[in-house]
Amino acid sequence: FGSDQFDKALREYQNILENFPTIKDREVYRLRIGISHLKLKQYEAARREFGRILDNNLKTPLADQVLFHTANSFFLEGNPSQAIPIYQSLIDNYPKSSLVNEAKFNMADCYESTGEFDKALVIYQEIQSSYPNPKVIEWQIEKNKERKLEAEKRKSKMMADQKKFLESRKAFDQANPKVPPKGISDKVRKDVIRDIFENYH
């Protein structure tokens, strides 16, 4: 685990839990199994392991780590909107956790991924003085502003393109009016009904 050989670590931790189900540090081993799955991009399997820790003990001292890595699993899987409330739960319920700053940083990243740049900026500014490396936050704030500007440009271009398309479509429709399709005559309708009753009733 410490040398990043997560596939081997996974097998060994699983072996420990299978052979020693009541071992004292079983929750720590289960957490490491989950993290190993996470590192191997096995996100669903990771969440199953994290869930088992909380199922066994809701008051486990590992709860903040479980929430943090569970949120990470959704973010890394490409589901930032599912990660956000889990990061928020960690922040709200474990305000003294050493993971709070990282959770806020990752949550800001999630907001940027969903296009909510202003929310991300508020978080970056909030942790700027307490984050271990303030330079990283300064860089993120600058990138946030650049990404927001790029997103606004893309949105403006998309709306302009859509407007241009609708105008050209309207001009085409005016130049080529559609002839409404002729309805079925009453005689044909009566013949169809008569045929149904005569042959299938």
Side-chain angles (χ1 to χ4, degrees):
F1 187 84
S3 60
D4 293 351
Q5 298 182 66
F6 296 109
D7 52 344
K8 292 181 180 179
L10 185 60
R11 289 195 296 272
E12 293 302 326
Y13 284 131
Q14 288 171 333
N15 189 42
I16 290 170
L17 290 182
E18 285 172 11
N19 290 287
F20 307 97
T22 59
I23 194 169
K24 182 182 176 183
D25 293 326
R26 62 187 177 280
E27 288 184 352
V28 174
Y29 296 145
R30 197 171 289 287
L31 178 68
R32 290 182 179 179
I33 288 173
I35 294 171
S36 296
H37 280 303
L38 200 57
K39 296 292 186 179
L40 295 168
K41 300 182 179 181
Q42 299 165 355
Y43 304 116
E44 188 62 41
R47 288 192 287 271
R48 278 198 302 271
E49 292 301 326
F50 298 143
R52 284 171 186 155
I53 296 171
L54 292 182
D55 287 343
N56 292 335
N57 181 8
L58 284 172
K59 295 182 179 180
T60 174
L62 301 175
D64 60 334
Q65 294 185 59
V66 169
L67 290 172
F68 181 73
H69 292 298
T70 301
N72 285 349
S73 75
F74 282 113
F75 182 49
L76 294 170
E77 196 176 30
N79 295 307
S81 58
Q82 288 181 273
I84 289 169
I86 304 174
Y87 286 129
Q88 190 64 59
S89 179
L90 188 164
I91 294 161
D92 293 342
N93 293 293
Y94 304 94
K96 295 182 180 179
S97 169
S98 61
L99 294 169
V100 165
N101 267 340
E102 283 301 322
K104 287 181 178 180
F105 183 93
N106 290 359
M107 188 163 69
D109 209 351
C110 288
Y111 277 127
E112 284 195 347
S113 297
T114 58
E116 298 179 87
F117 298 99
D118 291 337
K119 287 184 178 181
L121 182 59
V122 168
I123 295 172
Y124 288 137
Q125 291 170 337
E126 179 187 328
I127 63 174
Q128 192 168 12
S129 60
S130 59
Y131 199 75
N133 189 346
K135 289 285 183 185
V136 170
I137 303 301
E138 287 176 20
W139 185 81
Q140 285 296 123
I141 288 172
E142 287 303 313
K143 295 303 289 182
N144 173 276
K145 291 174 182 176
E146 290 174 15
R147 290 175 188 137
K148 181 182 178 182
L149 190 61
E150 288 170 7
E152 287 172 348
K153 285 179 180 176
R154 284 196 302 271
K155 185 177 179 181
S156 296
K157 185 180 183 302
M158 185 177 70
M159 290 178 71
D161 289 345
Q162 187 178 22
K163 184 180 178 182
K164 192 183 293 184
F165 170 78
L166 291 173
E167 287 173 351
S168 63
R169 178 64 185 268
K170 184 178 179 182
F172 176 83
D173 289 344
Q174 287 173 344
N176 302 279
K178 293 179 180 177
V179 179
K182 294 181 179 179
I184 301 174
S185 68
D186 287 342
K187 184 179 182 309
V188 172
R189 187 179 291 108
K190 287 176 183 176
D191 290 342
V192 169
I193 293 171
R194 186 182 302 111
D195 181 64
I196 291 171
F197 273 92
E198 288 177 355
N199 296 293
Y200 303 102
H201 189 59

